[in-house]
Amino acid sequence: MATEISKFQSEPFNSCHASKVLKAAIFSRFLLLILTILWRSLLTPYDTSAPLNPTCLHNPSYFPPPLLPSIASAIENGVVWDSVYFVRIAQCGYEYEQYYAFLPLLPVCIFAFSRTVFAPLVPLIGYRAVLALSGYFVCNVAFIFAAIYFHKLSVIILKDSNAALRASVLFCFNPASIFYSSIYSESLYALLSVGGCYYLISGSNNIAVLWLALSSFARSNGVLNAGYFGFQTMHQAYDAFSGKKRAFLALWILISGALRCIIIFVPFTAFQAYGYYNMCLGRSSNEMRPWCKARIPLLYNYIQSHYWGVGFLRYFQFKQLPNFLLASPILSLAVCSIIYYVKSRPEIVRSLGFQALVEEKSSMAVIFSFQKSHRSNDTQYLEEYSSRKQENHNLKLRKKIRRWDHAEGITVHGSSEKLGYTSAFILPFILHVGFMVATAFFVMHVQVATRFLSASPSLYWFASLIMTWPGRSKKWGYMIWTYCCAYILLGSLLFSNFYPFT
């Protein structure tokens, strides 16, 4: 291990790929901005109610008319669909029951920036336009940082800088890109969940638990990120008990892991308690909403079911067939990524990773130990180290997997995936995306799957893999990029003009 780390330290740093990802992230945001302005100038919005802004129910405030009303109107006209709720909550708080479907992290960020950084613009464009501008700033900057963390995480997991670059660029131009440039919680969630996974895999557990906890303050599915800590805890406790025969250490690992998982649930749970306090306490039985009287008064589930018709198989209607078709590309990619992994490493899936080859675990242990002692320099060395590891890492592992693949009759396309996408360290991401696919298909409005799954790293890692298959790379690359470009164009056209997209 010491020898490998010393080699790592001596290698020069090449930031070419990281800078390419940064440029791709920034370029993609400008592209979406240009497309949005273009479509709005060419077409008439389906719903023209976006500029309406009634006085707040509680603590109404008055602002004089803006000095630049045309600019204010142009900014406010871009506040469509769920953006209306986020901006309204930032301005007036949670006025109505259905507003509690939108978690508070994004509105809090919008409010904070509107009262500080962008506050001098209020006399020029008005307060609501400043709120919208703050929202655009927060979401687009968050996406750029999410892309950076996505690349850093991909380099560690895939151990292939080229594959990490391809996956990161795909993420920058993902089919749900319009939502990452709009006032939606996708960008903040992607930053916090991907960044949290990066810190988790880097050994910075305290930072990771903070980021993943905040992800559950951005979107409800952030609570699923507790599964990453659960997976880590399960394996660490098993290694402590079976390898070192230290039962007390295993118990301590289980307790600390359980506490970290609970912390990730706390923000979402606290927000539900906040809703209960506002909507239920101090009211008579006749005034109470039905969910207030439930044994477990979970406001979020009630809102999704009552106002949006979300529920198991409730979307399985013939009239919803177009929406199933709209979601079919992302669902197909997700299902194929899961099937490929399960077929490639069935022993890993059956054993939940406990049968991972020793070489796989030891290779990640090298990264952990290095990053714990050189955490301040991890961004400087990580890419070169991973590239070198791809070339020189453990020939025994490749031979073992190759022999297993031939025995199982699986065709291997190249060798990079053996240390990348089919690594045992991909398993928690596969389990995570598998649960989300099932939820999107059977429970949610299925068209939302495009943006619901868009922050799942394993989709881009799998897409990056199939784009390098010999003899079929051009075909798959063309299909994947056509899909992304088509949805970027279609999404920016429909969404920006208040037409339904996902």
Side-chain angles (χ1 to χ4, degrees):
M1 182 182 298
T3 303
E4 294 182 42
I5 292 176
S6 64
K7 290 180 181 178
F8 181 18
Q9 290 174 311
S10 65
E11 293 177 357
F13 170 63
N14 182 1
S15 61
C16 179
H17 285 182
S19 64
K20 286 182 179 179
V21 172
L22 177 60
K23 291 176 181 178
I26 295 174
F27 175 77
S28 66
R29 297 313 96 193
F30 277 108
L31 175 63
L32 266 297
L33 175 62
I34 292 171
L35 287 173
T36 299
I37 295 174
L38 175 64
W39 296 136
R40 287 198 66 87
S41 63
L42 294 178
L43 299 175
T44 301
Y46 173 76
D47 189 333
T48 58
S49 63
L52 297 180
N53 186 36
T55 304
C56 296
L57 292 179
H58 310 290
N59 302 321
S61 55
Y62 172 76
F63 294 93
L67 298 177
L68 302 174
S70 58
I71 297 178
S73 177
I75 296 174
E76 291 187 41
N77 286 339
V79 180
V80 296
W81 293 108
D82 290 356
S83 302
V84 176
Y85 290 98
F86 286 116
V87 171
R88 182 70 179 182
I89 293 169
Q91 180 180 4
C92 304
Y94 288 87
E95 300 175 296
Y96 301 102
E97 183 179 65
Q98 62 268 34
Y99 283 17
Y100 287 88
F102 303 93
L103 272 72
L105 184 59
L106 178 55
V108 167
C109 292
I110 293 173
F111 177 82
F113 275 89
S114 70
R115 295 285 179 161
T116 54
V117 177
F118 296 102
L121 297 178
V122 172
L124 297 177
I125 59 177
Y127 186 52
R128 189 167 186 262
V130 165
L131 287 169
L133 192 62
S134 301
Y136 284 121
F137 176 81
V138 169
C139 293
N140 283 274
V141 171
F143 175 82
I144 293 172
F145 279 99
I148 294 172
Y149 275 103
F150 184 94
H151 178 246
K152 294 166 69 174
L153 176 65
S154 300
V155 169
I156 296 178
I157 294 293
L158 301 179
K159 302 184 180 68
D160 182 348
S161 58
N162 291 324
L165 175 62
R166 286 193 302 271
S168 301
V169 173
L170 281 172
F171 174 72
C172 291
F173 296 92
N174 73 73
S177 287
I178 184 61
F179 298 101
Y180 289 89
S181 286
S182 304
I183 308 174
Y184 269 57
S185 55
E186 269 70 16
S187 291
L188 276 177
Y189 171 77
L191 170 61
L192 294 168
S193 60
V194 173
C197 289
Y198 165 74
Y199 285 115
L200 175 61
I201 206 73
S202 301
S204 304
N205 286 344
N206 292 334
I207 300 177
V209 74
L210 174 63
W211 282 52
L212 296 180
L214 287 174
S215 74
S216 72
F217 217 36
R219 290 186 61 84
S220 60
N221 51 298
V223 298
L224 298 178
N225 291 326
Y228 293 117
F229 267 105
F231 186 87
Q232 180 202 59
T233 299
M234 181 175 62
H235 280 263
Q236 288 181 344
Y238 176 81
D239 291 340
F241 185 77
S242 63
K244 301 177 182 179
K245 304 295 183 182
R246 299 173 65 179
F248 179 78
L249 176 60
L251 179 61
W252 172 251
I253 290 172
L254 289 173
I255 293 174
S256 60
L259 289 176
R260 290 188 176 111
C261 291
I262 291 172
I263 291 173
I264 294 174
F265 274 86
V266 165
F268 178 78
T269 306
F271 183 64
Q272 301 308 299
Y274 173 73
Y276 183 85
Y277 175 82
N278 286 339
M279 304 298 298
C280 300
L281 291 185
R283 304 195 179 196
S284 65
S285 178
N286 294 332
E287 294 176 327
M288 282 188 179
R289 300 289 289 160
W291 67 272
C292 294
K293 305 174 184 178
R295 178 173 298 180
I296 303 178
L298 193 57
L299 173 57
Y300 184 82
N301 284 3
Y302 175 80
I303 293 173
Q304 291 290 339
S305 175
H306 181 73
Y307 291 98
W308 280 278
V310 173
F312 184 66
L313 299 182
R314 290 178 66 176
Y315 217 60
F316 277 60
Q317 304 173 36
F318 183 78
K319 65 180 181 180
Q320 301 298 346
L321 181 60
N323 287 323
F324 277 90
L325 294 176
L326 187 65
S328 60
I330 194 73
L331 291 174
S332 299
L333 180 64
V335 171
C336 288
S337 69
I338 297 169
I339 293 174
Y340 180 88
Y341 187 88
V342 172
K343 285 188 174 181
S344 298
R345 304 299 297 275
E347 81 288 359
I348 295 295
V349 178
R350 285 196 300 265
S351 65
L352 292 179
F354 288 109
Q355 292 184 11
L357 298 177
V358 175
E359 291 87 346
E360 289 182 271
K361 293 184 177 181
S362 63
S363 67
M364 192 59 70
V366 172
I367 296 177
F368 286 165
S369 62
F370 180 84
Q371 291 186 341
K372 287 178 181 178
S373 59
H374 298 80
R375 191 162 293 149
S376 62
N377 297 321
D378 62 348
T379 58
Q380 180 178 359
Y381 299 121
L382 190 54
E383 183 174 324
E384 282 297 313
Y385 173 64
S386 301
S387 179
R388 183 66 173 268
K389 292 292 287 180
Q390 168 64 24
E391 298 174 2
N392 301 320
H393 178 274
N394 221 312
L395 293 175
K396 290 183 180 180
L397 173 60
R398 299 185 183 182
K399 292 178 181 179
K400 284 185 178 182
I401 297 178
R402 191 176 296 114
R403 287 198 301 268
W404 178 84
D405 284 328
H406 287 308
E408 293 292 323
I410 295 177
T411 301
V412 180
H413 304 281
S415 60
S416 63
E417 70 267 36
K418 295 296 105 180
L419 298 178
Y421 185 74
T422 55
S423 164
F425 299 98
I426 300 287
L427 180 59
F429 297 95
I430 293 295
L431 297 175
H432 183 270
V433 77
F435 183 86
M436 292 180 66
V437 166
T439 303
F441 187 76
F442 291 108
V443 179
M444 298 171 56
H445 292 184
V446 71
Q447 70 270 23
V448 180
T450 301
R451 59 187 175 95
F452 184 61
L453 301 175
S454 62
S456 300
S458 59
L459 298 187
Y460 305 99
W461 295 338
F462 177 69
S464 173
L465 167 67
I466 63 178
M467 290 172 66
T468 61
W469 281 352
R472 289 187 283 178
S473 59
K474 290 185 178 180
K475 173 186 173 182
W476 284 111
Y478 176 80
M479 292 177 61
I480 290 171
W481 278 115
T482 299
Y483 165 51
C484 291
C485 292
Y487 271 57
I488 287 174
L489 292 173
L490 182 64
S492 59
L493 169 65
L494 297 177
F495 178 85
S496 60
N497 286 288
F498 230 131
Y499 288 90
F501 176 53
T502 69

